[in-house]
Amino acid sequence: QVQPVESGGGLVRPGDSLRLSCATSGFTLENYSIAWFRQAPGKEREGLSCMRGRQIFYAGSVKGRFTISKDTATKTVHLDMKGLNPGDTGVYYCAAYPGHLVMSACFQPEHMSYWGKGTPVTVSN
């Protein structure tokens, strides 16, 4: 069974850093597209970063601040976030698709097949 499980969310102050993790099981990471999404209060879910094989893509809003990486041994995908600001507040989701999506599709929630339950991140003083 393919089931991503997110962890690492919490309450942080502006300027802080945070690492989110997505534990995966039931599939081979290299054969899937893995993406991180965020849903802010009252807003639609937006794609932040996508990894397909060795290729990595970032949304403009997080490029240079967020870094996606994977640990093949533990089958975990991480999202390292720095320079957090209140606009980064939301629930962060990890999603997977069985194949390599083109970049534009990887940022669209409707193309992802498997979702975690999300981990909340709040950036506030």
Side-chain angles (χ1 to χ4, degrees), residues 34 52 92:
I34 307 294
R52 58 168 203 183
Y92 285 68

Side-chain angles (χ1 to χ4, degrees), residues 4-6 21-22 24 34-37 77 92-96 114-116 118:
V5 179
E6 306 92 339
S21 298
C22 174
T24 67
I34 307 294
W36 282 96
F37 290 80
V77 177
Y92 285 68
Y93 297 91
C94 178
Y114 305 98
W115 289 87

Side-chain angles (χ1 to χ4, degrees), residues 36-57:
W36 282 96
F37 290 80
R38 173 175 69 203
Q39 188 159 18
K43 294 187 178 180
E44 295 185 351
R45 197 167 296 189
E46 65 170 322
L48 304 176
S49 182
C50 173
M51 173 184 287
R52 58 168 203 183
R54 296 183 178 183
Q55 290 184 303
I56 291 174
F57 308 108

Side-chain angles (χ1 to χ4, degrees), residues 71-91:
D71 182 332
T72 305
T74 62
K75 302 185 72 172
T76 302
V77 177
H78 300 290
L79 185 68
D80 289 293
M81 309 184 292
K82 64 179 182 180
L84 288 165
N85 60 67
D88 295 314
T89 293
V91 179

